């Protein structure tokens, strides 16, 4: 009845497909040629329930999730996307940073998926995602999104981890460190008045005592912007997101971006009314992340929204839909508006090529943030630098090992160093003296800590080169 037979999963449909008369004929022929039912018993002709032989039976109770897993058919089906092919056990590329460092199946995407499958199928004693064992299994997932793009089955472990952390948070509350980092905008607002790099502060936050924490800028970007005069003529307009770090810590990057955009004839509207929700999302505070991003969306408007930090861009293009629902029209509109600065400038370059003076084919290094590598714009930094006359070299690194606050935490002190040493740090050592461009705030912190070099964001680099 089919090229390869209908198999167990379709056998229960044969009655409706062929009708009583044909099914009686099938049974008669089967009995005539196979009276003892030895040939493929239970296939085609069966009275069993259609899902009785599935390796992962459906959950007895529906699993309610905060994030929208509907496109995958629910959380258990999202886990079941892992078909065990083992692509996550490779030693290059983005996926999976922790496995590349430890070579332990336990730390691979497949290992984590199998643990979740065991939970859903009843092979683990636990009845809930909110268990310490599941938390431990997911602890070394850096939420790099590499599995979503490099796994042939597009397993999204970063999304699953956020949901698990949310359920753990609801069950037992959150630690002081997790609450503070989830509310990073408020933390940074008050940090200028507190001794953030004191031993006591690091001990309370369970931070690596050797790691310096980022210093808060003396003036917020939005305050500087109010006194800044944009000089035209202008041929285009765009909004620029003053993300949490840009607003409170790396204000110089924001200033460089605004001045660069102005020099290219682009009038800037600064959006500084809130956080995209990435810090809260990464700590499992999904309710907080939703409140933050809904507040921000009220101020985005309808212009293109340029985002300088790749993890903020992925929050507003990818996780926003997971948070608000894939059928949320406002979320889809915002996701379409958001752009990293490189693709925006590449399009502007095509319209106004004379505005972009050529560089002198200077060589430079690029370390691309994980979330940009996991996006359609993974090559945009390289492309923009080529267009403006530079000779960029893409560092063949995966994750830098920092991943937000992951690399700052004392318990991750060794693994973050091991991941950085896989490709990134040795490549830097082999190419000393070349300028380094890294758009991820986490990546810049990691490189600065281990090598004492402060990479530029691309807007700083182009600004220095008078492009």
């Amino acid at each position: 009845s089919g090229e390869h037979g209908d198999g167990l999963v379709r056998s229960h449909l044969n009655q409706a497909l062929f009708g009583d008369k044909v099914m009686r004929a099938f049974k008669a022929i089967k009995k005539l040629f196979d009276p003892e039912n030895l040939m493929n018993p239970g296939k085609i002709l069966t009275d069993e329930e259609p899902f009785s032989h599935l390796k992962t039976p459906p959950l007895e109770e529906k699993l309610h999730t905060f994030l929208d897993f509907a496109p995958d058919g629910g959380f258990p089906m999202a886990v079941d996307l892992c078909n065990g092919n083992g692509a996550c056990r490779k030693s290059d590329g983005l996926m999976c940073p922790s496995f590349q460092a430890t070579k332990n199946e336990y730390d691979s995407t497949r290992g984590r998926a199998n643990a979740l499958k065991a939970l859903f199928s009843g092979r683990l004693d636990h009845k809930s995602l909110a268990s310490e064992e599941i938390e431990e299994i997911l602890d070394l997932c850096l939420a790099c999104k590499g599995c979503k793009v490099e796994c042939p089955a597009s397993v999204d472990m970063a999304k699953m981890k956020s949901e698990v952390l949310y359920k753990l948070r609801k069950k037992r509350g959150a630690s002081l460190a997790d609450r503070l980092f989830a509310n990073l905008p408020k933390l940074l607002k008050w940090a200028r008045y507190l001794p953030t790099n004191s031993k006591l502060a690091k001990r309370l936050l369970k931070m690596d005592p050797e790691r310096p924490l980022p210093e808060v800028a003396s003036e917020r970007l939005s305050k500087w912007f109010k006194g800044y005069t944009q000089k035209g003529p202008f041929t285009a307009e765009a909004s620029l997101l003053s993300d949490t770090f840009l607003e409170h810590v790396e204000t110089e990057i924001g200033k460089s971006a605004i001045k660069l955009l102005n020099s290219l004839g682009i009038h800037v509207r600064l959006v500084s009314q809130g956080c995209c929700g990435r810090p809260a999302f990464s700590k499992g505070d999904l309710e907080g992340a939703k409140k933050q991003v809904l507040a921000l969306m009220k101020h985005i408007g309808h212009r293109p929204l340029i985002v300088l930090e790749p993890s903020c861009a992925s929050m507003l293009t990818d996780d926003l839909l997971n948070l608000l629902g894939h059928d949320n029209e406002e979320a889809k509109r915002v996701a379409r508006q958001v752009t990293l600065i490189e693709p925006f400038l590449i399009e502007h370059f095509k319209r106004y090529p004379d505005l972009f003076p050529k560089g002198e084919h200077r060589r430079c290094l690029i370390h691309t943030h994980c979330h940009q590598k996991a996006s359609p714009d993974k090559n945009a930094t390289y492309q923009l630098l080529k267009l403006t006359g530079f000779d960029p070299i893409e560092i063949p690194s995966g994750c830098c090992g920092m991943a937000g606050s992951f690399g700052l935490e004392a318990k991750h002190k060794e693994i973050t160093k091991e991941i950085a040493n896989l490709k990134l740090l040795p490549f830097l050592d082999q190419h000393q003296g070349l300028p380094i461009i890294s758009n991820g705030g986490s990546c810049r912190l990691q490189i600065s800590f281990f090598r004492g070099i402060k990479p530029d964001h691309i807007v700083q680099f182009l600004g220095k080169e008078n492009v």
Side-chain angles (χ1 to χ4, degrees):
S1 63
E3 183 182 354
H4 298 291
D6 285 333
L8 285 170
V9 76
R10 299 181 184 87
S11 295
H12 70 287
L13 299 172
N14 285 342
Q15 181 68 38
L17 181 63
F18 295 108
D20 290 336
K21 184 176 181 179
V22 175
M23 285 300 292
R24 286 197 302 271
F26 281 169
K27 291 177 180 178
I29 294 170
K30 170 74 170 174
K31 188 174 182 179
L32 178 65
F33 284 94
D34 185 20
E36 296 183 22
N37 196 30
L38 300 177
M39 298 168 61
N40 249 0
K43 312 295 192 299
I44 308 302
L45 302 177
T46 181
D47 296 321
E48 295 181 357
E49 290 296 319
F51 302 117
S52 60
H53 291 293
L54 290 181
K55 65 178 181 179
T56 307
L59 288 173
E60 293 180 7
E61 297 182 9
K62 186 175 181 181
L63 177 66
H64 295 282
T65 60
F66 193 96
L67 298 178
D68 183 10
F69 284 89
D72 299 317
F75 196 124
M77 292 300 290
V79 173
D80 210 44
L81 284 172
C82 176
N83 56 30
N85 65 77
C88 48
R89 292 173 53 89
K90 57 195 179 71
S91 58
D92 56 7
L94 182 54
M95 164 183 82
C96 172
S98 50
F99 175 80
Q100 289 187 40
T102 69
K103 302 300 181 186
N104 190 336
E105 172 76 13
Y106 183 91
D107 298 318
S108 68
T109 304
R110 181 173 69 178
R112 296 177 184 118
N114 280 337
L116 291 168
K117 287 182 183 182
L119 174 70
F120 291 137
S121 65
R123 289 181 282 127
L124 291 182
D125 293 336
H126 314 292
K127 304 299 181 186
S128 169
L129 283 170
S131 69
E132 291 182 1
E133 287 78 5
I134 296 298
E135 179 184 25
E136 182 182 340
I137 288 164
L138 293 176
D139 179 52
L140 295 190
C141 169
L142 283 78
C144 67
K145 295 182 177 284
C147 49
K148 186 175 181 181
V149 291
E150 292 187 355
C151 170
S154 299
V155 175
D156 191 349
M157 193 56 62
K159 178 181 176 181
M160 296 178 204
K161 181 176 181 178
S162 287
E163 185 68 42
V164 170
L165 292 178
Y166 168 73
K167 293 194 177 301
L168 281 162
R169 192 183 187 93
K170 297 295 287 184
K171 179 181 178 180
R172 70 183 187 200
S175 68
L176 174 63
D178 284 349
R179 288 200 303 272
L180 288 173
F181 280 114
N183 289 281
L184 193 60
K186 291 182 180 178
L187 176 62
L188 291 176
K189 183 178 179 181
W190 291 104
R192 58 172 43 90
Y193 308 112
L194 301 171
T196 53
N197 270 300
S198 70
K199 291 182 179 179
L200 176 61
K202 291 182 180 180
R203 190 159 57 247
L204 286 172
L205 295 174
K206 297 181 179 179
M207 297 289 104
D208 178 358
E210 297 178 8
R211 286 265 190 177
L213 298 176
E215 296 286 349
V216 178
S218 58
E219 182 182 44
R220 295 171 64 167
L221 179 63
S222 56
K223 185 177 180 181
W224 170 86
F225 186 72
K226 287 179 181 178
Y228 172 73
T229 302
Q230 301 187 65
K231 297 179 181 178
F234 299 116
T235 56
E237 288 187 318
S239 296
L240 175 69
L241 177 66
S242 181
D243 63 66
T244 300
F245 249 61
L246 212 61
E247 177 71 6
H248 295 280
V249 179
E250 298 184 307
T251 56
E252 291 303 316
I253 294 177
K255 295 173 186 177
S256 295
I258 293 164
K259 292 174 182 177
L260 175 65
L261 290 166
N262 286 170
S263 72
L264 298 174
I266 301 162
H267 186 267
V268 177
R269 172 180 171 264
L270 192 67
V271 178
S272 58
Q273 287 86 353
C275 179
C276 70
R278 168 60 68 200
F281 189 91
S282 67
K283 291 299 181 183
D285 183 9
L286 300 184
E287 292 169 344
K290 185 174 181 178
K291 288 178 183 177
Q292 289 174 1
V293 77
L294 285 173
L296 175 65
M297 287 168 65
K298 294 177 182 177
H299 302 280
I300 287 177
H302 294 270
R303 294 186 185 94
L305 179 65
I306 296 171
V307 180
L308 301 183
E309 169 59 47
S311 63
C312 296
S314 69
M315 184 69 210
L316 294 172
T317 57
D318 182 14
D319 291 312
L320 179 64
L321 298 172
N322 293 327
L323 202 57
L324 302 186
H326 287 78
D327 58 350
N328 186 304
E329 293 300 325
E330 186 69 4
K332 288 193 281 188
R333 178 187 68 79
V334 169
R336 288 193 297 268
Q337 284 178 237
V338 170
T339 174
L340 289 170
I341 193 163
E342 292 96 333
F344 180 87
L345 290 182
I346 288 170
E347 288 302 311
H348 196 69
F349 180 94
K350 292 176 182 176
R351 290 193 293 271
Y352 307 101
D354 294 338
L355 287 174
F356 287 76
K358 293 287 186 179
E360 299 178 355
H361 300 283
R362 282 189 61 201
R363 296 176 74 199
C364 53
L365 302 178
I366 305 170
H367 171 72
T368 306
H369 186 283
C370 292
H371 287 194
Q372 186 171 346
K373 286 176 180 157
S375 79
D377 299 316
K378 62 182 180 180
N379 297 319
T381 308
Y382 180 91
Q383 292 167 353
L384 179 60
L385 288 167
K386 289 292 285 186
L387 280 172
T388 48
F390 294 95
D391 184 14
I393 302 170
E394 180 78 45
I395 301 173
S397 52
C399 180
C400 72
M402 188 63 172
S405 65
F406 179 93
L408 294 174
E409 296 168 8
K411 65 178 179 177
H412 297 140
K413 178 178 179 177
E414 294 304 320
I415 189 69
T416 187
K417 184 177 181 180
E418 289 174 25
I419 293 171
N421 271 313
L422 288 170
K423 296 280 175 61
L424 174 59
L425 299 183
F427 198 89
L428 293 179
D429 293 342
Q430 293 166 11
H431 296 79
Q432 293 183 30
L434 293 181
I436 306 167
I437 298 161
S438 184
N439 290 351
S442 295
C443 311
R444 291 192 296 273
L445 283 174
Q446 188 80 318
I447 293 170
S448 178
F449 176 70
F450 282 118
R451 288 297 180 268
I453 306 167
K454 190 174 181 181
D456 283 331
H457 191 286
I458 191 170
V459 297
Q460 292 175 301
F461 180 75
L462 294 181
K464 288 177 182 177
E465 299 295 328
N466 298 315
V467 175

